[in-house]
Structures are given as structure tokens and as C-alpha cells.
Amino acid sequence: MARVATSYVCNECGAKSPAPLGRCPRCGTWGSVTEDETHAASPARAKSRPAQTTLLLGIDGDAPSRFSSGAGEVDRVLGGGFVDGSAVLLTGEPGIGKSTLLLQLAAFTAAAGADVLYVAGEESPLQVRLRADRLRVGEGLVLTRQTDAAAVAAYLVQRRPKLAIVDSIQTMTLGDDGVPGGLAQVRDSTAVLIAAAKESGTALVLIGHVTKQGTVAGPKVVEHMVDATLSLESAGDLRVLRSLKNRFGATGEVGVFEMTEGGLKDVPNPSAAFLAERPIGVPGSVVAAVMEGQRPLLLEVQALASKSPYAAPRRVVQGLDQRRVDVVLAVLERRLGLPLDGLDVYVNVAGGLRVTDPGADLAVAVAAYSAVTNRTVGESTALVGEVGLAGELRSVSQLGRRVQEAERAGFDQVVGPRSSERVRGVGTLTEALAVVWEGS
Ligand code: TYD
Ligand code: MG
């Protein structure tokens, strides 16, 4: 059996812990964790008691309290700000801006007079200081280079900071087994930090690296343990923060930022930003009214068709679900007789955003049709709707909010499924094309 580094144990349930916690993270008993004299695991000693139970409706208390992160776009993705005592994982590729964003947020809360701890495991304190200078922030922010998770946990329990940032979870260690960044170290460090944050009421944010090749083992394990997972991605010149998991809010929520000289800045009107470089009067370019999370967005969908040099023509898709695009192209070919044979078709979402909403189908269909037939779509028309296999247009969620966003952005006409008066309602893809090119 591996050597056990644990040196504290709960006398109620036998849970082991490397830090002297005031409350057992497993059974919730206060003051039951004491130093483990044996320093070794002995399952035979652990006498299990029957689990204690409570009537569900007998439980009361207040909903967890929240505080603003200082960035409107982050608050939106979190579901209304940081939750006291919760743990959030922020993932993203190296260089995307995780440290920058969290330093900004840490500094905001510190400047408001609350205690904030920044664990600088990746960079030297001087590097963090220089970044703070660049961002012109840092008043009152407390830093540590300590990467021993038990020591950081003990700090949380004793000092009860409002917010703690761990940059990054891969640098944390617990005990002296294994390498930093290894699965066991990452998992065990996370467990100890989360338990401490729950006890101290600290909002804990863990930074987790993800490689370009995909996720590394660490963050995946951590994802199961935290209350919320956010990922920071690039979308052209913009940065998109997305909630992949959120026990205190909705998933799929997006926040949009711009990386500037002074760090990440909220982009409160992303539709305008995503449409800023839209070419006017070019075949293959259309505007889709999509929902990403609870946010309506207008995005440019582009298609290009060219004669293929290959026996099997290519379908190159970016920012959309490849299978959905394949279905839409098949419907265009089979139901509307659009000749795609021998053509390579490229479809992408301009600006680099990843769209998961099926409501983008109609825009994909019209963009492809426009590209193949070389006809342009009116610049003030936005499109919305899911395309079914029979070529029918299906309804989408939150149509009203999409239309409102389109109107706000100055679009005269929204073509979509027949379920709102403010939409130019159509029942099929054929009808949609007729409306789009009406009178032309
Ligand atoms: P960083 O936060 O270090 O990324 P991560 O922690 O995700 O690895 O940010 C990296 C990039 O951000 C770096 O290339 C420099 C750039 N940057 C700015 O453009 N403006 C700024 O104000 C700062 C601090 C960084
Ligand atoms: Mg970093």
C-alpha cells in the first residue's frame, strides 16, 4: 500500500484530511477532525456508523449569497457573480488570458476592501506585480508562492478571505507523493482546497490548463469536483467565456471580452462586434439570429462553394456542428435540387465563435444557397430556424428575444418559423428562399 501522507482524521466518520479543518468535509461535523496518531490507513479500524438522514423539506436556510466579480460579462456567465464558498474552475489554452482575467477580478474585490488571496504558482511574484502594473490594479491584493495545498487550505480556514485564486491547480502539491500536475496531486489538492473554501465561505477559483491537443488529465478530474467550470476561448480578436457546468446557474452562458492593452474588457454588445467586419453585397454571407445560453447574438454565417479537384468533394465547417451542416446541405440537394455535386463547400461562423444552436440551420442553408447560386442576401435580413429533413422550418427557443436583438441591431426583417408576428414567417426552406429573394 502507498504511503499515506494524511495526518488528520475525522473522529465521526473516519474521513482523512491533510489539513486541520474545523469541520469535516465528508460528514459535516464540527470540531471532529483531530491529528491522526497512526499516520497510516487501517480500514479495519474504521467502524462505520449508519448514515444520518434528514427530511428534505425539513431543511431550510438561505440561498447562497453572491458578490459581483467586477466584470459584468463574468457575472453573467456565473449566473450573477461569485457564490460564497463555491469552487470554480477556469480552463483554457496557455496564453488565452486566464491569469490576466483573474488578476483583474482579484484586484477588483481587493480594491473594494475585501481580503483576497492570489496563489502564484506559475509565475514569480514580480511577474504578477508587473502584470498588475500594466493593468493598473493591485491595491490591497495579497499574494503567495505557496503551492502546498494544505498550507493554502489552512490559510483559507484561518483568514477566511472573500476570494482566492489558485494559478494554477497544476502547480499545487499535497504530501510528497507524485509530481505536481499529476492526476493524484491535482485531484487531492483540489479536494483539500474545495473543502477549505466551503468551510471558510471563500469563493475559490482554480485555473486549469488545457493543451491545444485537448484536455489534459488534470482539469477533467477537477471538473467533477467543482461547482462551476468556465472555459476561456478565443473567437478571432475576442475572448469568449463559456459556462460548461454551473451548479448555481445555467450552462452554455457566454460572456464576451476584448483583449486590450489594459487587460480584458467587457464587450457589452457582442452582436455589433461580431458583425463589425461583415462584407455587404457578397454572395454566401448571411446573418443568423442565434441564442448562446440566455444571450441572443447576431452572427455572420459564411459559405463558399468551389469546384472540387477531389473525387469526394470536401465539406469544411468551422464554428458549427459538422453533422448539422451536412444535414442542411443534404436537404438543399435532395429537396431543393441545389447542385452540390462536385463542389467543395466551406461554411463558417465569422469571428470564430462556436455555435451550438440548431436555430442557425436556416442561415447555413441560405448562405450555401447564396454561395452556389451567386445571389446576395439583403443586408438588413436576419435568419433563424431549424431545418428538418423534409425541408420544413422548425420552431426555435426564445424567438422573441432573437427578434428583439435583431431589431436593436438595426435589421428590418427576420425570416424564421411562423410563431411570432414580428417574424416574416415561413414553413419551409423553399418559402424562406422565396422571401429572401422576393422581388429580386
Ligand atoms: P495570460 O493571462 O498570461 O494567459 P494565461 O494565463 O491564460 O496563460 O495572458 C496572455 C496574453 O495576454 C499575453 O500574450 C499578453 C496578453 N496581454 C494583453 O494583451 N494585455 C494585457 O493587459 C495583459 C496583462 C496581457
Ligand atoms: Mg497564466
Side-chain angles (χ1 to χ4, degrees), residues 292-333:
E292 280 304 302
Q294 287 304 302
R295 167 173 245 162
L297 282 177
L298 293 165
L299 298 170
E300 187 200 353
V301 174
Q302 299 183 324
L304 181 70
S306 68
K307 215 162 136 282
S308 180
Y310 306 104
R314 297 195 298 170
R315 303 283 179 256
V316 183
V317 177
Q318 251 176 51
L320 292 152
D321 180 357
Q322 172 97 40
R323 280 163 306 175
R324 292 208 75 86
V325 173
D326 284 341
V327 167
V328 169
L329 294 178
V331 169
L332 284 174
E333 197 164 23

Short mmCIF file of all heavy atoms in Angstrom, two decimals, residues 292-333:
data_model
loop_
_atom_site.label_atom_id
_atom_site.label_comp_id
_atom_site.label_asym_id
_atom_site.label_seq_id
_atom_site.Cartn_x
_atom_site.Cartn_y
_atom_site.Cartn_z
N GLU A 292 -26.98 31.86 -27.61
CA GLU A 292 -25.92 31.11 -26.94
C GLU A 292 -26.19 31.28 -25.46
O GLU A 292 -26.07 32.39 -24.93
CB GLU A 292 -24.54 31.62 -27.35
CG GLU A 292 -24.07 31.11 -28.71
CD GLU A 292 -24.06 29.58 -28.80
OE1 GLU A 292 -23.37 28.94 -27.99
OE2 GLU A 292 -24.74 29.03 -29.68
N GLY A 293 -26.58 30.21 -24.81
CA GLY A 293 -27.05 30.33 -23.43
C GLY A 293 -28.30 31.19 -23.43
O GLY A 293 -29.19 31.01 -24.26
N GLN A 294 -28.34 32.14 -22.54
CA GLN A 294 -29.51 33.02 -22.44
C GLN A 294 -29.30 34.30 -23.22
O GLN A 294 -30.00 35.28 -23.02
CB GLN A 294 -29.77 33.36 -20.97
CG GLN A 294 -30.35 32.21 -20.19
CD GLN A 294 -31.63 31.69 -20.82
OE1 GLN A 294 -32.59 32.41 -21.00
NE2 GLN A 294 -31.63 30.41 -21.19
N ARG A 295 -28.29 34.29 -24.11
CA ARG A 295 -27.95 35.53 -24.77
C ARG A 295 -28.25 35.47 -26.26
O ARG A 295 -27.73 34.61 -26.96
CB ARG A 295 -26.47 35.79 -24.56
CG ARG A 295 -25.92 36.86 -25.44
CD ARG A 295 -24.50 37.15 -25.04
NE ARG A 295 -24.41 38.48 -24.53
CZ ARG A 295 -23.41 38.94 -23.80
NH1 ARG A 295 -22.45 38.14 -23.44
NH2 ARG A 295 -23.38 40.17 -23.42
N PRO A 296 -29.07 36.38 -26.78
CA PRO A 296 -29.29 36.42 -28.22
C PRO A 296 -28.09 37.08 -28.89
O PRO A 296 -27.55 38.07 -28.38
CB PRO A 296 -30.54 37.28 -28.37
CG PRO A 296 -30.61 38.10 -27.13
CD PRO A 296 -29.85 37.40 -26.05
N LEU A 297 -27.66 36.52 -30.00
CA LEU A 297 -26.50 37.06 -30.71
C LEU A 297 -26.76 37.05 -32.20
O LEU A 297 -27.38 36.12 -32.73
CB LEU A 297 -25.27 36.17 -30.48
CG LEU A 297 -24.50 36.27 -29.18
CD1 LEU A 297 -23.38 35.23 -29.18
CD2 LEU A 297 -23.91 37.66 -29.01
N LEU A 298 -26.28 38.08 -32.87
CA LEU A 298 -26.34 38.09 -34.33
C LEU A 298 -24.95 37.78 -34.84
O LEU A 298 -23.97 38.40 -34.43
CB LEU A 298 -26.79 39.46 -34.82
CG LEU A 298 -28.23 39.76 -34.42
CD1 LEU A 298 -28.55 41.21 -34.59
CD2 LEU A 298 -29.19 38.89 -35.22
N LEU A 299 -24.89 36.80 -35.72
CA LEU A 299 -23.59 36.36 -36.21
C LEU A 299 -23.64 36.22 -37.71
O LEU A 299 -24.68 35.90 -38.28
CB LEU A 299 -23.26 34.99 -35.62
CG LEU A 299 -23.13 34.91 -34.10
CD1 LEU A 299 -23.04 33.46 -33.68
CD2 LEU A 299 -21.89 35.68 -33.65
N GLU A 300 -22.50 36.42 -38.33
CA GLU A 300 -22.42 36.24 -39.77
C GLU A 300 -22.05 34.79 -40.07
O GLU A 300 -21.08 34.27 -39.53
CB GLU A 300 -21.35 37.17 -40.36
CG GLU A 300 -21.35 37.13 -41.87
CD GLU A 300 -20.05 37.63 -42.48
OE1 GLU A 300 -19.19 38.13 -41.74
OE2 GLU A 300 -19.89 37.49 -43.69
N VAL A 301 -22.86 34.14 -40.90
CA VAL A 301 -22.53 32.79 -41.37
C VAL A 301 -22.08 32.93 -42.81
O VAL A 301 -22.75 33.58 -43.62
CB VAL A 301 -23.75 31.85 -41.27
CG1 VAL A 301 -23.43 30.49 -41.89
CG2 VAL A 301 -24.16 31.66 -39.81
N GLN A 302 -20.93 32.35 -43.11
CA GLN A 302 -20.38 32.47 -44.46
C GLN A 302 -20.29 31.10 -45.12
O GLN A 302 -19.96 30.12 -44.48
CB GLN A 302 -18.96 33.03 -44.41
CG GLN A 302 -18.86 34.41 -43.82
CD GLN A 302 -17.44 34.93 -43.87
OE1 GLN A 302 -16.49 34.17 -43.71
NE2 GLN A 302 -17.30 36.21 -44.13
N ALA A 303 -20.57 31.08 -46.40
CA ALA A 303 -20.40 29.85 -47.17
C ALA A 303 -19.67 30.17 -48.47
O ALA A 303 -19.80 31.28 -49.01
CB ALA A 303 -21.74 29.20 -47.46
N LEU A 304 -18.90 29.21 -48.91
CA LEU A 304 -18.20 29.34 -50.18
C LEU A 304 -18.25 27.99 -50.86
O LEU A 304 -18.08 26.96 -50.21
CB LEU A 304 -16.74 29.75 -49.91
CG LEU A 304 -15.84 29.96 -51.12
CD1 LEU A 304 -16.25 31.21 -51.89
CD2 LEU A 304 -14.38 30.08 -50.69
N ALA A 305 -18.55 28.00 -52.15
CA ALA A 305 -18.58 26.74 -52.89
C ALA A 305 -17.63 26.87 -54.07
O ALA A 305 -17.63 27.89 -54.75
CB ALA A 305 -20.00 26.47 -53.37
N SER A 306 -16.80 25.85 -54.25
CA SER A 306 -15.91 25.91 -55.41
C SER A 306 -15.76 24.52 -56.00
O SER A 306 -15.94 23.52 -55.29
CB SER A 306 -14.55 26.49 -55.01
OG SER A 306 -13.89 25.57 -54.18
N LYS A 307 -15.44 24.48 -57.29
CA LYS A 307 -15.32 23.20 -57.99
C LYS A 307 -14.24 22.37 -57.32
O LYS A 307 -13.15 22.86 -57.04
CB LYS A 307 -14.95 23.45 -59.45
CG LYS A 307 -15.57 22.46 -60.38
CD LYS A 307 -15.55 23.00 -61.81
CE LYS A 307 -15.12 21.93 -62.78
NZ LYS A 307 -13.70 21.65 -62.86
N SER A 308 -14.58 21.12 -57.01
CA SER A 308 -13.63 20.31 -56.25
C SER A 308 -12.65 19.56 -57.14
O SER A 308 -13.05 18.97 -58.15
CB SER A 308 -14.39 19.28 -55.41
OG SER A 308 -13.48 18.50 -54.68
N PRO A 309 -11.39 19.57 -56.79
CA PRO A 309 -10.41 18.76 -57.51
C PRO A 309 -10.44 17.30 -57.05
O PRO A 309 -9.75 16.46 -57.60
CB PRO A 309 -9.08 19.42 -57.16
CG PRO A 309 -9.31 20.04 -55.82
CD PRO A 309 -10.76 20.36 -55.73
N TYR A 310 -11.23 17.04 -56.02
CA TYR A 310 -11.23 15.69 -55.43
C TYR A 310 -12.42 14.87 -55.91
O TYR A 310 -13.45 15.42 -56.26
CB TYR A 310 -11.29 15.78 -53.90
CG TYR A 310 -10.22 16.65 -53.31
CD1 TYR A 310 -10.53 17.93 -52.85
CD2 TYR A 310 -8.90 16.20 -53.23
CE1 TYR A 310 -9.55 18.74 -52.31
CE2 TYR A 310 -7.91 17.01 -52.70
CZ TYR A 310 -8.24 18.28 -52.25
OH TYR A 310 -7.28 19.08 -51.71
N ALA A 311 -12.24 13.56 -55.86
CA ALA A 311 -13.34 12.67 -56.22
C ALA A 311 -14.47 12.81 -55.20
O ALA A 311 -15.65 12.81 -55.56
CB ALA A 311 -12.85 11.23 -56.26
N ALA A 312 -14.09 12.91 -53.92
CA ALA A 312 -15.09 13.13 -52.88
C ALA A 312 -14.98 14.58 -52.42
O ALA A 312 -14.05 14.93 -51.71
CB ALA A 312 -14.85 12.19 -51.71
N PRO A 313 -15.91 15.45 -52.84
CA PRO A 313 -15.81 16.87 -52.51
C PRO A 313 -15.78 17.09 -50.99
O PRO A 313 -16.32 16.30 -50.23
CB PRO A 313 -17.08 17.47 -53.10
CG PRO A 313 -17.56 16.50 -54.09
CD PRO A 313 -17.12 15.15 -53.62
N ARG A 314 -15.12 18.17 -50.61
CA ARG A 314 -14.93 18.42 -49.18
C ARG A 314 -16.03 19.29 -48.59
O ARG A 314 -16.61 20.13 -49.25
CB ARG A 314 -13.58 19.09 -48.98
CG ARG A 314 -12.44 18.19 -49.40
CD ARG A 314 -11.15 18.68 -48.87
NE ARG A 314 -10.82 20.00 -49.38
CZ ARG A 314 -9.82 20.73 -48.91
NH1 ARG A 314 -9.11 20.30 -47.90
NH2 ARG A 314 -9.54 21.90 -49.45
N ARG A 315 -16.29 19.04 -47.34
CA ARG A 315 -17.22 19.87 -46.56
C ARG A 315 -16.41 20.38 -45.37
O ARG A 315 -16.15 19.62 -44.44
CB ARG A 315 -18.39 19.03 -46.05
CG ARG A 315 -19.17 18.32 -47.16
CD ARG A 315 -20.09 19.30 -47.87
NE ARG A 315 -20.84 18.68 -48.94
CZ ARG A 315 -20.54 18.83 -50.24
NH1 ARG A 315 -19.48 19.53 -50.61
NH2 ARG A 315 -21.30 18.27 -51.16
N VAL A 316 -16.02 21.62 -45.43
CA VAL A 316 -15.18 22.15 -44.35
C VAL A 316 -16.00 23.11 -43.50
O VAL A 316 -16.50 24.11 -44.00
CB VAL A 316 -13.93 22.86 -44.92
CG1 VAL A 316 -13.04 23.36 -43.79
CG2 VAL A 316 -13.17 21.92 -45.85
N VAL A 317 -16.17 22.75 -42.24
CA VAL A 317 -17.06 23.51 -41.36
C VAL A 317 -16.28 24.05 -40.16
O VAL A 317 -15.51 23.33 -39.54
CB VAL A 317 -18.21 22.61 -40.87
CG1 VAL A 317 -19.11 23.36 -39.89
CG2 VAL A 317 -19.02 22.10 -42.05
N GLN A 318 -16.50 25.32 -39.86
CA GLN A 318 -15.85 25.90 -38.69
C GLN A 318 -16.87 26.66 -37.85
O GLN A 318 -17.61 27.48 -38.38
CB GLN A 318 -14.78 26.88 -39.14
CG GLN A 318 -13.38 26.35 -38.87
CD GLN A 318 -12.34 27.31 -39.42
OE1 GLN A 318 -12.39 28.49 -39.14
NE2 GLN A 318 -11.44 26.78 -40.21
N GLY A 319 -16.89 26.37 -36.56
CA GLY A 319 -17.75 27.11 -35.65
C GLY A 319 -19.18 26.57 -35.59
O GLY A 319 -20.01 27.10 -34.87
N LEU A 320 -19.47 25.53 -36.37
CA LEU A 320 -20.80 24.93 -36.37
C LEU A 320 -20.64 23.42 -36.25
O LEU A 320 -19.55 22.88 -36.50
CB LEU A 320 -21.52 25.24 -37.68
CG LEU A 320 -21.92 26.69 -37.91
CD1 LEU A 320 -21.98 27.00 -39.40
CD2 LEU A 320 -23.26 26.99 -37.24
N ASP A 321 -21.74 22.76 -35.90
CA ASP A 321 -21.71 21.31 -35.81
C ASP A 321 -21.66 20.73 -37.23
O ASP A 321 -22.58 20.93 -38.02
CB ASP A 321 -22.96 20.86 -35.05
CG ASP A 321 -23.05 19.35 -34.89
OD1 ASP A 321 -22.17 18.64 -35.41
OD2 ASP A 321 -24.00 18.89 -34.25
N GLN A 322 -20.60 20.01 -37.52
CA GLN A 322 -20.40 19.46 -38.86
C GLN A 322 -21.59 18.62 -39.33
O GLN A 322 -22.03 18.71 -40.47
CB GLN A 322 -19.13 18.58 -38.86
CG GLN A 322 -18.90 17.78 -40.15
CD GLN A 322 -17.93 18.47 -41.10
OE1 GLN A 322 -16.94 19.05 -40.67
NE2 GLN A 322 -18.21 18.42 -42.39
N ARG A 323 -22.15 17.82 -38.41
CA ARG A 323 -23.26 16.95 -38.82
C ARG A 323 -24.51 17.74 -39.17
O ARG A 323 -25.22 17.41 -40.09
CB ARG A 323 -23.56 15.93 -37.71
CG ARG A 323 -22.59 14.76 -37.71
CD ARG A 323 -22.67 14.03 -36.41
NE ARG A 323 -22.46 14.97 -35.31
CZ ARG A 323 -22.55 14.66 -34.03
NH1 ARG A 323 -22.87 13.46 -33.67
NH2 ARG A 323 -22.34 15.56 -33.09
N ARG A 324 -24.75 18.82 -38.44
CA ARG A 324 -25.91 19.65 -38.76
C ARG A 324 -25.75 20.28 -40.14
O ARG A 324 -26.69 20.36 -40.92
CB ARG A 324 -26.09 20.78 -37.73
CG ARG A 324 -26.48 20.35 -36.35
CD ARG A 324 -27.27 21.46 -35.65
NE ARG A 324 -28.61 21.54 -36.18
CZ ARG A 324 -29.61 20.79 -35.75
NH1 ARG A 324 -29.43 19.93 -34.78
NH2 ARG A 324 -30.80 20.91 -36.31
N VAL A 325 -24.54 20.74 -40.43
CA VAL A 325 -24.29 21.36 -41.73
C VAL A 325 -24.46 20.32 -42.83
O VAL A 325 -25.07 20.60 -43.87
CB VAL A 325 -22.88 22.00 -41.77
CG1 VAL A 325 -22.56 22.51 -43.17
CG2 VAL A 325 -22.78 23.13 -40.75
N ASP A 326 -23.96 19.11 -42.61
CA ASP A 326 -24.13 18.04 -43.60
C ASP A 326 -25.61 17.79 -43.88
O ASP A 326 -26.01 17.60 -45.03
CB ASP A 326 -23.48 16.74 -43.10
CG ASP A 326 -21.95 16.78 -43.23
OD1 ASP A 326 -21.45 17.62 -44.02
OD2 ASP A 326 -21.28 16.01 -42.55
N VAL A 327 -26.42 17.78 -42.83
CA VAL A 327 -27.86 17.56 -42.99
C VAL A 327 -28.48 18.68 -43.83
O VAL A 327 -29.23 18.44 -44.77
CB VAL A 327 -28.57 17.44 -41.61
CG1 VAL A 327 -30.08 17.53 -41.77
CG2 VAL A 327 -28.17 16.15 -40.92
N VAL A 328 -28.12 19.92 -43.48
CA VAL A 328 -28.68 21.06 -44.20
C VAL A 328 -28.29 20.99 -45.69
O VAL A 328 -29.12 21.22 -46.57
CB VAL A 328 -28.22 22.39 -43.55
CG1 VAL A 328 -28.57 23.57 -44.44
CG2 VAL A 328 -28.86 22.55 -42.17
N LEU A 329 -27.04 20.66 -45.95
CA LEU A 329 -26.59 20.56 -47.35
C LEU A 329 -27.32 19.43 -48.08
O LEU A 329 -27.69 19.57 -49.25
CB LEU A 329 -25.07 20.35 -47.41
CG LEU A 329 -24.21 21.53 -46.90
CD1 LEU A 329 -22.73 21.17 -46.96
CD2 LEU A 329 -24.50 22.81 -47.68
N ALA A 330 -27.56 18.32 -47.38
CA ALA A 330 -28.28 17.20 -47.99
C ALA A 330 -29.72 17.61 -48.31
O ALA A 330 -30.26 17.26 -49.36
CB ALA A 330 -28.26 16.00 -47.04
N VAL A 331 -30.33 18.37 -47.41
CA VAL A 331 -31.70 18.84 -47.65
C VAL A 331 -31.72 19.78 -48.87
O VAL A 331 -32.61 19.68 -49.73
CB VAL A 331 -32.28 19.55 -46.39
CG1 VAL A 331 -33.58 20.26 -46.70
CG2 VAL A 331 -32.47 18.53 -45.27
N LEU A 332 -30.74 20.67 -48.95
CA LEU A 332 -30.67 21.58 -50.11
C LEU A 332 -30.57 20.81 -51.41
O LEU A 332 -31.19 21.14 -52.41
CB LEU A 332 -29.45 22.51 -49.98
CG LEU A 332 -29.54 23.67 -48.99
CD1 LEU A 332 -28.20 24.37 -48.88
CD2 LEU A 332 -30.63 24.67 -49.40
N GLU A 333 -29.77 19.76 -51.38
CA GLU A 333 -29.52 18.98 -52.59
C GLU A 333 -30.74 18.15 -52.98
O GLU A 333 -31.18 18.18 -54.12
CB GLU A 333 -28.31 18.08 -52.35
CG GLU A 333 -27.71 17.53 -53.62
CD GLU A 333 -26.29 16.99 -53.40
OE1 GLU A 333 -25.96 16.64 -52.24
OE2 GLU A 333 -25.53 16.91 -54.38
#
